[in-house]
Amino acid sequence: MTKDNCLIVHAAGKQLDLLRGEASRIAKGSKVDWWIDRPDVGTRFCFEDAKAKEAFASACDSFGIPCRDG
């Protein structure tokens, strides 16, 4: 799976649950697939579409959760 449209976030517990729900909502609205994997540090959220990735980055910003390309 490609990592072109991925973001790494540093969140745990309820914040991570919140982000999973948001990723699911964004992907469903964009009609694309998404997945999570665990790099050495953080959690990588990946999307099939760059627009979905950008929407997720905006959601992270609105929740005050830092993210970076990954």
Side-chain angles (χ1 to χ4, degrees):
M1 292 185 194
T2 182
K3 293 185 177 134
D4 293 338
N5 298 312
C6 297
L7 293 169
I8 295 177
V9 299
H10 297 279
K14 291 186 183 216
Q15 279 188 328
L16 191 55
D17 290 342
L18 177 69
L19 292 177
R20 283 188 190 116
E22 195 63 18
S24 179
R25 184 189 65 74
I26 289 168
K28 186 176 182 180
S30 299
K31 296 182 177 151
V32 298
D33 198 13
W34 71 284
W35 61 95
I36 292 177
D37 70 10
R38 299 293 219 151
D40 291 337
V41 178
T43 302
R44 182 180 292 125
F45 286 78
C46 298
F47 298 87
E48 289 181 331
D49 179 272
K51 288 181 183 179
K53 172 191 167 188
E54 293 305 316
F56 184 73
S58 293
C60 288
D61 287 343
S62 71
F63 296 138
I65 300 171
C67 65
R68 63 179 172 86
D69 282 336

